[in-house]
Amino acid sequence: MFLAMRELRRAKGRFALLIGAVALVVFLILVQQALRDSLVDSFVGGIRNSSAPVLVLDVDGRRFLQGSTITPELEWAVRGVDGIDAVARIGQGAFAVTAGGRPRSVAVVGYDTEGLGSPADLVEGRLPTGRAEVVANAADASLGFRVGDRLVVPPTGLELVVVGRAAGAGLNVTPTVYGTWATYVDVLRTRNADTGDDVRPNALAVRQAGGLAARELAARINAASPTADALTARDAADGNPGVVNIERSFGVIFLLFGIVLPLVTGLFFLILTQQKQQSLTLLRAFGAPASRLSATVLYQAVFVLAAALALGTAAYWLISLRSTPELTIPYQSDAVVAWSVVLGALGMVSAAASVRRVRRLDPLAAQSNEGLDR
């Protein structure tokens, strides 16, 4: 420990640069993770966090809620499957509304049964109990979707009152509101006054009976109709083509960061060990145990990684406080812990090469000014 701290003080400039470089990598990884999760949540959060155990879409919709249409034949087939406790209709469309004094595009979701398609995690207010009442995605509050705010749907001037806010209820990266089926039909009529009550749903929310697993019920529904695409809410969100592309793109970014960090740390300690080759060899010749010199490198690696993780996390926390609805960077403590473990392990593995070089020092090589047994 003494040797490690002496070296840190003597070469504080070099170690400060390494800590800064590693902290920057940590910061970028945590921010990218938060951006990815925020983007996915705003894209399919309303599906992933749905109160419906199973969602039935039309296969032609390619797992996009708005692109799916449930025909009467498909609905009859679903309702006839064994093991179903309840079936409810879900409709979704994109509409222009005025919110917060500005025109906005809003995803409007309608459901006909509370607990099957309604928001599952209210953070404020209540669920709609009548027409013209909606629950908004909590992340959209500052855009004019706070409890008590009114949304105006042109051209008829239909007013929707926000009576609650739900966490993780976004769809299609736009502000999202949820209302009863009657409210959804009223919004549709602002486009076409001739819209009747027989509006076809975009999806069916299904709850299984007894102890039947949700995936088992989804398999039964798919077997009952070739046009059914039944999945659990989680699988429907994760299987969305847009989400798959997002996950794949960010996965490449994380892989590159995971390669950069051990390379930076490992090369630094290898270069440092090479520069100190003669002095380390002399220490070995004077009787310093190889284990003590190896521990010096390990202490320095732990110090660098701990300081970098702390700085990177602090910077991430600070920028999360500056999040806006347009650029949401939530602080995720579980991601901080997970990445700290992963990056710490990668950094220590990269430092192991330097430890190995130190342990191979030959004290007799001091006579010929050779530091390592190559």
Side-chain angles (χ1 to χ4, degrees):
M1 175 69 77
F2 173 76
L3 290 175
M5 297 309 297
R6 282 293 299 270
E7 179 65 25
L8 286 170
R9 285 194 294 268
R10 189 178 68 85
K12 53 181 176 292
R14 286 184 294 181
F15 280 98
L17 288 174
L18 175 61
I19 291 172
V22 176
L24 179 60
V25 173
V26 173
F27 168 75
L28 291 174
I29 288 176
L30 292 174
V31 169
Q32 291 288 337
Q33 168 101 29
L35 286 174
R36 184 201 67 178
D37 293 346
S38 178
L39 181 58
V40 170
D41 193 55
S42 64
F43 191 60
V44 293
I47 296 176
R48 176 174 290 174
N49 302 317
S50 173
S51 57
V54 176
L55 291 174
V56 182
L57 306 171
D58 175 28
V59 291
D60 293 334
R62 296 181 57 81
R63 297 183 179 175
F64 283 101
L65 182 58
Q66 190 172 346
S68 171
T69 301
I70 304 297
T71 63
E73 294 77 17
L74 176 55
E75 184 172 353
W76 294 334
V78 170
R79 292 182 181 275
V81 173
D82 291 333
I84 289 181
D85 177 60
V87 178
R89 296 174 296 170
I90 296 177
Q92 190 259 314
F95 300 87
V97 306
T98 300
R102 296 180 56 185
R104 303 185 187 278
S105 177
V106 175
V108 179
V109 181
Y111 57 89
D112 64 4
T113 303
E114 186 175 313
L116 277 177
S118 58
D121 188 11
L122 286 182
V123 297
E124 184 184 5
R126 58 176 175 81
L127 289 174
T129 56
R131 275 188 157 133
E133 293 183 341
V134 294
V135 167
N137 183 25
D140 305 325
S142 62
L143 300 178
F145 296 86
R146 294 185 177 89
V147 173
D149 286 346
R150 294 180 178 271
L151 318 177
V152 180
V153 187
T156 64
L158 173 68
E159 285 193 352
L160 305 177
V161 181
V162 179
V163 298
R165 295 190 301 129
L171 286 175
N172 303 332
V173 200
T174 60
T176 306
V177 297
Y178 295 75
T180 63
W181 185 261
T183 299
Y184 173 66
V185 173
D186 287 343
V187 175
L188 285 177
R189 288 194 177 113
T190 63
R191 286 181 177 172
N192 184 359
D194 296 329
T195 299
D197 295 328
D198 58 342
V199 176
R200 291 186 178 182
N202 296 96
L204 296 175
V206 184
R207 182 170 55 235
Q208 69 272 27
L212 186 65
R215 280 194 172 89
E216 174 61 26
L217 178 58
R220 292 185 184 183
I221 294 173
N222 289 329
S225 173
T227 61
D229 187 13
L231 309 100
T232 64
R234 182 81 184 190
D235 291 343
D238 294 343
N240 184 288
V243 172
V244 172
N245 291 332
I246 292 172
E247 297 281 1
R248 184 180 296 116
S249 299
F250 277 93
V252 174
I253 294 173
F254 293 144
L255 176 62
L256 293 176
F257 279 134
I259 293 173
V260 167
L261 185 139
L263 283 177
V264 170
T265 307
L267 287 175
F268 175 84
F269 282 104
L270 281 174
I271 293 171
L272 190 65
T273 303
Q274 182 67 28
Q275 291 175 340
K276 298 189 303 178
Q277 176 176 311
Q278 293 185 4
S279 59
L280 291 173
T281 305
L282 286 174
L283 287 172
R284 287 286 290 118
F286 280 111
S291 59
R292 180 173 298 178
L293 298 180
S294 300
T296 299
V297 177
L298 290 177
Y299 283 135
Q300 292 173 344
V302 170
F303 177 83
V304 167
L305 290 170
L309 288 169
L311 287 175
T313 301
Y316 164 54
W317 175 72
L318 289 174
I319 199 172
S320 71
L321 300 178
R322 308 290 295 178
S323 292
T324 65
E326 291 78 14
L327 183 61
T328 303
I329 305 177
Y331 182 82
Q332 301 172 312
S333 57
D334 54 344
V336 170
V337 173
W339 278 111
S340 295
V341 172
V342 171
L343 297 177
L346 288 173
M348 294 305 296
V349 169
S350 66
S354 298
V355 173
R356 181 172 177 271
R357 289 174 65 87
V358 171
R359 296 187 69 87
R360 291 175 58 199
L361 286 169
D362 183 6
L364 297 177
Q367 301 176 4
S368 61
N369 290 328
E370 293 179 5
L372 292 174
D373 180 18
R374 300 181 184 275

